[in-house]
Amino acid sequence: MPAIELRNIRNYVFSNLNMKVLDGELLVVLGPNGAGKTTLLNIMAGLVDYEGTVLFDGIPMDKISTNERHIGYLFQNLALFPHLDVFSNVGYSLRVKGRKKEEMARKVNELLRLMKIEHLKCRYPRNLSGGEKQRVALARALATSPKALLLDEPFNSLDTEMCKCLRREIRQVQKTMGITTVFVTHNLADAEEMGDRFAVLNNGKIQEVISRGIFLLQSGEDESDSPAKFHDCSQCTIGCHCTSIEQDYESADSPTYCLPTLMKS
Amino acid sequence: MLGILPVMVFVALWEGIAQLNMVPQYLFPPFSSVMMEFYHLVASGVLLDNLLSSLVRVIAGFLMGSVAGIVMGMGMGCKEVINKSFHPIFGLLYPIPALGWAPLLMIWIGIDEMLPITLIFLCSFFPVLYNTITGIKGVDKEVIKAAKTLGASDRKILTTVILPLAMPNIFTGLRLEAGMAWRVVIAAEMVAIPTGIGALMMKSESLLNVEVIIVCLMVLSVMCLAFERFFQYMEKKITREWV
């Protein structure tokens, strides 16, 4: 049984979207800006209106409000609470659920250790670097032991080195905790390093879903036909083949993206 | 030191000019006479009695107006239906100066303690209301979404996220209106109430006692400043770590 399943989803972006995320896997959803990536996550989280059915472990979530869906959501801009210090940010979900102070302190300290940010617990978000904020946001999302983790392009504002480092850490945490994760991005390097499976989303439609093996094979051997060639040049952090990309770049409607050949056919 | 120096120069000039007797001292008394009068008023208890009367009115009216403004502002800031229902009414009432209500309120509620309290209520309510709405509407929507995904109910989001983040705006309203409340109470006491700093000033005017009037104005100035500074201090204390 898939951990997350979307059946016949319709709203202002999607006309009839079906999708499955397997238990414990990290599914990368690749797509250009405006493809509906964030909306997809918001549907799973119950943050936007939609028709159709969202199931978590086979249970319909449509009538269940966001605060009861038990999800961890890492927002694109991280959305840390500016008025709370790191400890309170991470412990927020435990506090609003009325957990005991001792239990909250134990859990928060555990997460701070896991994310290597124990020394920051008294700092406020405005005094944190981009990478530190990222770690705090992830620790906060994991605090309630969520059923699913939704990551919305969380590395956008980070430099290449920090990005690489956090990708590895998030992947490690996700594997260790075995949390079903949906990670949306338009960055090929993020996708390649993190995904178990890959879904290409464009114009509100899932164009194709492929396994990691096929994704790596295609991206390594046959770029001209690969969904992995879907690529944001400005965000490129791995070796790209600029000749073919430039060609697509010029012919694409959007000046930023190289659409996969698959989508153009 | 730089802040005190101009005040000391001003007082010295005031004392010097008054001592030259270019203007009769009953019209323009020297600073030393004003201080003597201040001492007499304090020693006799007249100043403190009247100050206490004004202070109680200011606190009562300001507290009620601010609480009502914050509660209503929370409702209007969070629920669009409440905002749309009340905004047209408040939009019409807001431009009326608080003292403009005085004649009508004299007829409706009479000339008693409730008159200055109601005037201060009106003077505090609208600015605090609009500042609260602005503060609440200015809270980052992503942060509210984040709180939802973390399991917070609407009530918890309001108390733990929206209200704290709207605090800087709410305090701006409180700080501005704290001084205004004193100006309004003085005016109300001058026209309608027999006790308070405003009433003391009017009595002194009829007796041509300029020293007492100046003492009252100085007390008013200090109280306005103290109230504004209090809210400034509270705002900094609450928000200094993150604003």
Side-chain angles (χ1 to χ4, degrees):
Chain A
M1 184 191 295
I4 304 172
E5 189 175 356
L6 275 63
R7 282 187 199 156
N8 307 320
I9 297 296
R10 289 178 301 280
N11 75 348
Y12 55 91
V13 175
F14 303 110
S15 53
N16 187 25
L17 182 86
N18 289 285
M19 187 178 158
K20 288 176 185 176
V21 188
L22 305 179
D23 191 25
E25 79 166 342
L26 194 153
L27 176 76
V28 174
V29 179
L30 278 159
N33 289 339
K37 301 190 297 293
T38 300
T39 309
L40 180 72
L41 294 187
N42 285 341
I43 287 171
M44 291 178 189
L47 288 168
V48 291
D49 292 333
Y50 61 89
E51 288 172 37
T53 308
V54 174
L55 299 113
F56 284 3
D57 294 328
I59 303 164
M61 288 285 128
D62 313 310
K63 300 241 179 330
I64 295 174
S65 59
T66 302
N67 60 330
E68 287 167 359
R69 289 196 181 193
H70 300 291
I71 45 139
Y73 197 141
L74 199 57
F75 289 83
Q76 200 168 356
N77 71 355
L78 304 178
L80 291 176
F81 303 122
H83 61 298
L84 300 179
D85 61 19
V86 167
F87 185 92
S88 303
N89 256 287
V90 176
Y92 181 83
S93 57
L94 303 166
R95 192 178 126 207
V96 296
K97 284 178 179 161
R99 300 281 166 81
K100 285 182 184 160
K101 274 190 178 173
E102 302 79 49
E103 187 196 341
M104 182 179 140
R106 187 184 49 75
K107 180 82 183 175
V108 171
N109 285 323
E110 197 179 293
L111 283 163
L112 295 176
R113 250 194 316 277
L114 182 72
M115 299 309 300
K116 299 171 191 137
I117 47 172
E118 269 176 303
H119 59 294
L120 303 173
K121 65 176 169 187
C122 296
R123 285 215 207 149
Y124 283 77
R126 73 167 183 173
N127 298 322
L128 300 174
S129 69
E132 289 167 346
K133 283 181 187 168
Q134 214 85 28
R135 287 189 169 93
V136 174
L138 183 63
R140 185 182 69 172
L142 294 171
T144 47
S145 310
K147 281 181 191 167
L149 187 59
L150 311 176
L151 310 175
D152 186 5
E153 309 203 46
F155 308 129
N156 269 5
S157 55
L158 298 179
D159 61 62
T160 312
E161 281 310 306
M162 180 57 69
C163 200
K164 275 183 189 170
C165 180
L166 276 167
R167 277 200 302 254
R168 254 176 264 136
E169 284 181 18
I170 290 182
R171 185 62 172 140
Q172 200 176 354
V173 169
Q174 187 267 335
K175 271 187 176 170
T176 310
M177 300 177 90
I179 303 173
T180 306
T181 303
V182 181
F183 173 45
V184 305
T185 185
H186 59 251
N187 188 300
L188 181 63
D190 291 346
E192 195 169 78
E193 183 147 348
M194 296 189 71
D196 291 321
R197 285 197 307 148
F198 304 83
V200 178
L201 182 70
N202 196 25
N203 293 326
K205 286 191 169 66
I206 296 284
Q207 303 281 344
E208 72 168 339
V209 180
I210 56 171
S211 68
R212 181 172 179 81
I214 294 171
F215 180 88
L216 293 177
L217 195 69
Q218 288 185 337
S219 63
E221 288 177 2
D222 185 10
E223 272 123 327
S224 62
D225 286 330
S226 168
K229 200 165 84 55
F230 177 87
H231 191 93
D232 171 1
C233 297
S234 66
Q235 297 282 323
C236 179
T237 53
I238 61 166
C240 65
H241 299 264
C242 291
T243 314
S244 59
I245 280 167
E246 273 169 16
Q247 199 180 344
D248 285 344
Y249 181 92
E250 283 175 9
S251 61
D253 288 340
S254 159
T256 317
Y257 295 99
C258 312
L259 294 175
T261 311
L262 187 80
M263 290 182 196
K264 289 193 280 182
S265 60
Chain B
M1 189 62 195
L2 271 176
I4 297 171
L5 195 67
V7 179
M8 286 170 71
V9 171
F10 174 75
V11 167
L13 277 172
W14 172 3
E15 181 72 23
I17 291 168
Q19 292 295 353
L20 289 174
N21 276 326
M22 289 189 293
V23 182
Q25 286 204 352
Y26 70 87
L27 288 179
F28 185 62
F31 180 72
S32 52
S33 304
V34 173
M35 284 297 101
M36 281 301 289
E37 191 58 47
F38 175 72
Y39 172 75
H40 289 138
L41 285 170
V42 172
S44 63
V46 173
L47 187 63
L48 291 180
D49 284 348
N50 284 290
L51 179 61
L52 195 64
S53 301
S54 299
L55 184 66
V56 168
R57 287 168 194 145
V58 167
I59 290 174
F62 184 69
L63 208 63
M64 287 193 283
S66 303
V67 170
I70 292 170
V71 171
M72 197 70 209
M74 279 161 58
M76 288 173 72
C78 293
K79 299 280 174 196
E80 203 47 37
V81 64
I82 302 178
N83 189 33
K84 281 186 176 160
S85 307
F86 285 94
H87 185 71
I89 304 163
F90 291 150
L92 283 172
L93 298 179
Y94 182 42
I96 301 171
L99 286 172
W101 291 97
L104 192 62
L105 292 176
M106 280 180 193
I107 297 167
W108 281 354
I109 60 178
I111 299 173
D112 60 16
E113 282 296 322
M114 281 312 291
L115 179 67
I117 291 174
T118 311
L119 285 172
I120 295 165
F121 173 91
L122 289 169
C123 134
S124 313
F125 175 74
F126 290 110
V128 173
L129 171 83
Y130 281 111
N131 275 289
T132 305
I133 294 171
T134 307
I136 285 175
K137 284 190 182 282
V139 173
D140 184 359
K141 300 288 176 284
E142 291 282 293
V143 170
I144 296 172
K145 281 185 192 171
K148 272 187 199 169
T149 64
L150 292 166
S153 62
D154 287 349
R155 208 172 117 200
K156 284 278 182 193
I157 292 172
L158 182 66
T159 55
T160 60
V161 176
I162 297 175
L163 210 50
L165 290 177
M167 275 298 167
N169 281 78
I170 294 173
F171 268 106
T172 302
L174 291 173
R175 186 160 42 82
L176 295 173
E177 291 321 302
M180 186 55 78
W182 276 97
R183 287 167 211 133
V184 168
V185 80
I186 297 297
E189 286 167 352
M190 283 167 76
V191 295
I193 305 289
T195 57
I197 297 289
L200 183 62
M201 282 168 77
M202 286 311 282
K203 278 179 214 159
S204 307
E205 185 266 342
S206 61
L207 297 169
L208 216 65
N209 196 341
V210 177
E211 280 99 339
V212 176
I213 295 173
I214 294 176
V215 168
C216 289
L217 289 175
M218 286 165 75
V219 168
L220 171 66
S221 166
V222 169
M223 293 311 292
C224 283
L225 205 63
F227 266 57
E228 285 176 15
R229 287 287 159 88
F230 169 75
F231 285 107
Q232 204 170 17
Y233 167 77
M234 290 301 290
E235 182 183 354
K236 274 195 181 159
K237 197 173 161 61
I238 293 170
T239 64
R240 73 178 160 202
E241 296 284 4
W242 54 275
V243 171

